[in-house]
Amino acid sequence: MRSPRRCTRNGCPRQAVATLTYVYHESTAVVGPLAAFAEPHTYDLCEPHARSLTAPRGWDVVRHEGEFEPPPPTTDDLVALAEAVREAARPVAPRPPEDGTDPGAAAPSTGRRGHLRVIPPSH
């Protein structure tokens, strides 16, 4: 299942609620509400990291003054949940016997996985 977007700070397990963007030609770092989509050259931050962000000397920080709220669930979350349920419902392949005998030696069979077919070698 797809998990919510996480803070991009190393080692931070919290959910992202803000997006950091840099405007290089104005020497400005902008911290605003979480963007709808993850974009290249932006950074998702949790609330503690969004509130405590500092910029290099000579740079300005423009920070969202309201509350940072986690994004609402999307239909993608429901699709991911349905896929996880389908995966869990797939049958498990039989395990080989513990006595060391080859289960395929007695009766050769044709195995199938998805669109591929495994045919045992003939002796």
Side-chain angles (χ1 to χ4, degrees):
M1 185 164 98
R2 184 177 68 90
S3 62
R5 285 163 49 189
R6 300 281 178 202
C7 182
T8 55
R9 294 288 301 261
N10 285 338
C12 183
R14 295 184 199 98
Q15 182 177 3
V17 296
T19 298
L20 167 65
T21 308
Y22 291 105
V23 183
Y24 290 99
H25 67 276
E26 294 180 15
S27 299
T28 304
V30 180
V31 180
L34 187 64
F37 301 100
E39 302 273 338
H41 309 294
T42 63
Y43 304 90
D44 294 338
L45 300 173
C46 63
E47 187 163 3
H49 285 126
R51 299 256 183 238
S52 65
L53 178 87
T54 59
R57 187 176 301 155
W59 281 59
D60 295 320
V61 177
V62 176
R63 194 181 320 269
H64 174 71
E65 291 299 326
E67 293 295 318
F68 290 115
E69 297 183 19
T74 65
T75 56
D76 291 345
D77 293 332
L78 296 175
V79 171
L81 179 60
E83 289 295 328
V85 169
R86 281 191 204 107
E87 182 69 28
R90 289 192 179 132
V92 178
R95 295 184 346 173
E98 293 182 14
D99 62 0
T101 61
D102 183 12
S109 63
T110 302
R112 186 168 178 87
R113 180 175 175 109
H115 67 284
L116 302 175
R117 187 174 298 164
V118 178
I119 301 174
S122 58
H123 294 278

